[in-house]
Amino acid sequence: MNPFTDLLDATISIGGVPILWREIIGNAFGLASAYGGMKRVVWAWPIGIVGNLLLFTVFLGGVFNTPQALDLYGQAGRQVMFLIVSVYGWYQWSRARKQGVRESAETDPSRSIVTEPHEDTAAVQPRWATGRERLGLLIAGVVGTVGCAMIFSALGSWGPWADAWIFTGSVLATYGMARGWTEFWLIWIGVDIVGVPLLLAAGYYPSAVLYIVYGAFVIWGFTVWMKVHTESGGAPEPDREHATV
């Protein structure tokens, strides 16, 4: 018996349907990362990376012999992209927080990584994207979805067009989170709307359920960021320095 293989293949039966534990655990880590993102704390990024690694093995069902035995290249590929973008976000937020700590004499050195950050140590200040940044998101969304759909179709991915949008939207939303753009929550909603039907049809039930939970969560997160954004005085003007930072 191989302990590593046993861990990968461990399942729980729900309603007579075998569900991988790593799919459940991977999505739980993803939800924890989303919560950390809403609270604007740095640990959101490494927690998300752990979830990405687990879910990568889940969505390559034909390779890792999952109960569904389906390859969703967009779902698997976005986990890889998440790793890249998350490293960037982790670096950006860590740098911003350290700078805030240096500039503040009120920081509590005993603060736990699981507690809500003080106002003066929040990792990022929410803001609306500028007009130029929104146009960039739109172009990247269209080009990325069409391009990925063509690639996924050639590879034999299951549900390539929906998978392509989920992949592209997820990358854009994660990048927007790293930049502190409030719009990233709205992109996540668009990803969830497409993701739930795709995952239900493919038999990835825990992931589909978690997408529904994410949908409610991102609406909550959006309202939280909107509140912080409003209290901070609103969005920057389109031609101000944030447009090129």
Side-chain angles (χ1 to χ4, degrees):
M1 299 294 287
N2 187 324
F4 179 73
T5 303
D6 291 344
L7 178 63
L8 285 179
D9 294 340
T11 61
I12 181 174
S13 180
I14 301 178
V17 178
I19 302 296
L20 286 168
W21 270 109
R22 56 191 153 100
E23 183 179 359
I24 297 173
I25 296 171
N27 279 293
F29 272 86
L31 184 60
S33 177
Y35 177 80
M38 184 192 67
K39 290 296 186 180
R40 298 175 293 142
V41 289
V42 177
W43 58 257
W45 298 104
I47 288 293
I49 288 173
V50 175
N52 298 151
L53 292 171
L54 290 172
L55 291 176
F56 175 80
T57 68
V58 170
F59 291 121
L60 286 182
V63 175
F64 289 92
N65 194 29
T66 66
Q68 297 85 3
L70 295 174
D71 289 322
L72 294 178
Y73 289 105
Q75 293 281 353
R78 76 179 191 144
Q79 307 305 324
V80 177
M81 292 302 298
F82 279 161
L83 290 175
I84 298 172
V85 179
S86 293
V87 169
Y88 167 76
W90 192 355
Y91 169 75
Q92 287 286 92
W93 284 31
S94 297
R95 186 177 64 174
R97 185 181 182 279
K98 288 176 182 177
Q99 182 178 353
V101 170
R102 286 196 301 267
E103 294 175 353
S104 174
E106 302 298 326
T107 303
D108 179 5
S110 65
R111 174 181 173 272
S112 167
I113 64 169
V114 297
T115 58
E116 184 174 353
H118 295 298
E119 250 181 63
D120 53 12
T121 60
V124 68
Q125 177 60 48
R127 68 175 179 88
W128 289 110
T130 65
R132 182 179 300 177
E133 290 165 341
R134 289 176 183 173
L135 179 60
L137 286 173
L138 178 60
I139 293 174
V142 173
V143 174
T145 299
V146 173
C148 288
M150 295 173 64
I151 294 172
F152 296 161
S153 294
L155 291 174
S157 184
W158 196 86
W161 280 94
D163 213 16
W165 160 244
I166 293 171
F167 172 74
T168 302
S170 298
V171 172
L172 293 178
T174 307
Y175 178 75
M177 176 179 168
R179 296 300 300 270
W181 296 340
T182 307
E183 286 91 344
F184 91 87
W185 294 106
L186 302 180
I187 299 175
W188 274 129
I189 293 174
V191 169
D192 293 338
I193 289 173
V194 175
V196 172
L198 175 70
L199 293 171
L200 284 175
Y204 289 98
Y205 301 115
S207 295
V209 170
L210 261 296
Y211 265 51
I212 295 173
V213 174
Y214 288 154
F217 187 85
V218 296
I219 293 174
W220 177 30
F222 177 67
T223 61
V224 170
W225 275 46
M226 277 294 296
K227 180 180 177 182
V228 175
H229 171 78
T230 301
E231 291 174 350
S232 69
E237 294 298 323
D239 292 328
R240 292 181 64 180
E241 61 178 355
H242 291 296
T244 58
V245 171

